[in-house]
Amino acid sequence: VAVNFNSGIYYQLPSYTAMGYKEGNTFVNKDRLEYIRCDHIVSGLDYTGLPNAKVSVEGFYKHYNNYPFSIRNQISLANLGGDFGVIGSEPVESNNEGRAYGLELLFQQKIFKGFYGIAAYTLSWSEFQDQNKEYVPSSWDSRHIVSLTAGKKFNKNWEIGARWRFSSGSPYTPYDLINSSLISIWDVNNQGLLDYDRLNSERIDATHQLDLRIDKKWFFNKWNLNVFFDVQNAYLHDNALQPTLGLKVNKETNEPVVNPSSTAPRYQTKFLEDSDAPLLPAIGLIIEL
């Protein structure tokens, strides 16, 4: 059994989107932004007493300082979504804190009688402060993550492998339905408004999928050739996405339907259920010199 421990302090510039945000000819965030600081502590145990295998358990804690915070919406940029969209193009300041902590279990089987595999489970929390300095789940707070990978090597350099992944649902902020449906607001934004008083209070359903792969390798004097075929999401699981708020539309005129029973001018809204269930086959060629 081996014990490991390490710690560190890391600094990172805020995003270029935030640093380069301008109003007129002025970089409004220039004097407000600082380096993001992150303190890391990691410790764990490794057991290598099994044939060609290792079992490890590791705990971690990260603390973030000077994280960019939206002045307009009064939320951390870490809570604006995990979909890799454009984030930070607005007035922000470096006064937010966050934390991430959890535990990871890992079993790794190196090649033994042609078989190999990795099984990993992570239990983690990712939280950032809201406008009241209280910690709430960030957009990256997938509480449970499981990854199972296994494969088998055959004669003549054939190999098959599979990977199954599971992630519990990530959080999202629900819509402010009352204000979103107002005609005066929708016509300006052309989309629903998020209710930041209920920041990341909802979660999508858990996601999981199975990926399969077949490899064939050839070894030559000075180079190697690897041809593979893989299929992602082999059993076509329908992974739900965050619902999107839309408008009911008159099929004849193609115009939004106005709510006749509302005292204020409002559109009739509806939720557009979205999902992602692609079957993605691929053929690849790898040349190693």
Side-chain angles (χ1 to χ4, degrees):
V1 177
V3 179
N4 66 75
F5 174 85
N6 62 81
S7 64
I9 300 175
Y10 302 88
Y11 291 89
Q12 179 180 338
L13 282 171
S15 68
Y16 288 130
T17 307
M19 293 191 298
Y21 176 72
K22 296 174 69 175
E23 292 182 355
N25 294 321
T26 304
F27 291 97
V28 298
N29 296 326
K30 179 179 178 181
D31 298 325
R32 289 197 291 252
L33 289 177
E34 302 177 22
Y35 278 90
I36 301 171
R37 170 174 169 163
C38 186
D39 303 324
H40 289 226
I41 298 177
V42 181
S43 183
L45 300 173
D46 294 336
Y47 175 70
T48 56
L50 301 174
N52 290 354
K54 181 179 75 171
V55 179
S56 65
V57 56
E58 192 170 77
F60 63 91
Y61 181 86
K62 303 177 183 179
H63 188 268
Y64 296 87
N65 280 298
N66 302 329
Y67 207 88
F69 189 81
S70 170
I71 297 174
R72 179 188 305 151
N73 296 315
Q74 289 295 290
I75 63 171
S76 172
L77 295 193
N79 290 327
L80 276 179
D83 56 359
F84 302 99
V86 177
I87 293 175
S89 183
E90 59 179 298
V92 296
E93 54 188 349
S94 297
N95 66 350
N96 193 239
E97 295 185 16
R99 62 191 182 190
Y101 54 95
L103 186 72
E104 182 177 84
L105 301 175
L106 175 69
F107 171 78
Q108 181 178 7
Q109 176 67 62
K110 297 181 181 180
I111 296 177
F112 183 70
K113 295 183 179 181
F115 291 92
Y116 62 88
I118 298 176
Y121 167 69
T122 302
L123 171 65
S124 64
W125 289 261
S126 175
E127 303 168 329
F128 279 79
Q129 292 176 340
D130 62 9
Q131 59 184 339
N132 299 316
K133 300 298 182 182
E134 296 181 358
Y135 283 102
V136 298
S138 78
S139 297
W140 313 100
D141 186 53
S142 295
R143 195 64 48 82
H144 304 277
I145 300 175
V146 178
S147 177
L148 304 176
T149 302
K152 174 72 167 67
K153 290 182 177 290
F154 296 91
N155 295 331
K156 297 183 179 181
N157 300 315
W158 284 92
E159 181 179 341
I160 62 172
R163 179 177 62 175
W164 185 77
R165 292 173 289 173
F166 170 90
S167 177
S168 56
S170 56
Y172 68 90
T173 301
Y175 288 99
D176 180 348
L177 298 179
I178 295 177
N179 288 316
S180 294
S181 61
L182 288 169
I183 294 178
S184 59
I185 292 180
W186 188 279
D187 285 349
V188 172
N189 294 278
N190 202 32
Q191 61 183 359
L193 298 178
L194 298 179
D195 185 356
Y196 290 123
D197 289 334
R198 295 186 291 158
L199 181 63
N200 283 344
S201 59
E202 303 287 340
R203 288 182 180 267
I204 63 174
D205 293 336
T207 63
H208 53 87
Q209 72 176 55
L210 174 67
D211 303 333
L212 304 173
R213 174 161 166 160
I214 300 175
D215 288 74
K216 168 61 176 174
K217 297 180 180 180
W218 290 268
F219 296 93
F220 303 97
N221 290 333
K222 295 184 178 180
W223 62 287
N224 304 327
L225 175 64
N226 182 12
V227 177
F228 67 86
F229 172 73
D230 69 22
V231 177
Q232 297 185 33
N233 199 16
Y235 54 70
L236 290 173
H237 177 68
D238 191 0
N239 290 315
L241 303 176
Q242 177 179 342
T244 302
L245 187 66
L247 299 179
K248 293 184 178 180
V249 177
N250 187 307
K251 295 182 179 180
E252 296 180 357
T253 64
N254 203 34
E255 294 291 330
V257 177
V258 177
N259 189 341
S261 61
S262 175
T263 55
R266 297 180 185 276
Y267 290 127
Q268 291 188 20
T269 60
K270 64 177 182 179
F271 280 105
L272 307 175
E273 297 296 335
D274 202 357
S275 62
D276 183 17
L279 179 70
L280 298 177
I283 298 176
L285 181 70
I286 301 174
I287 298 176
E288 298 178 345
L289 300 177

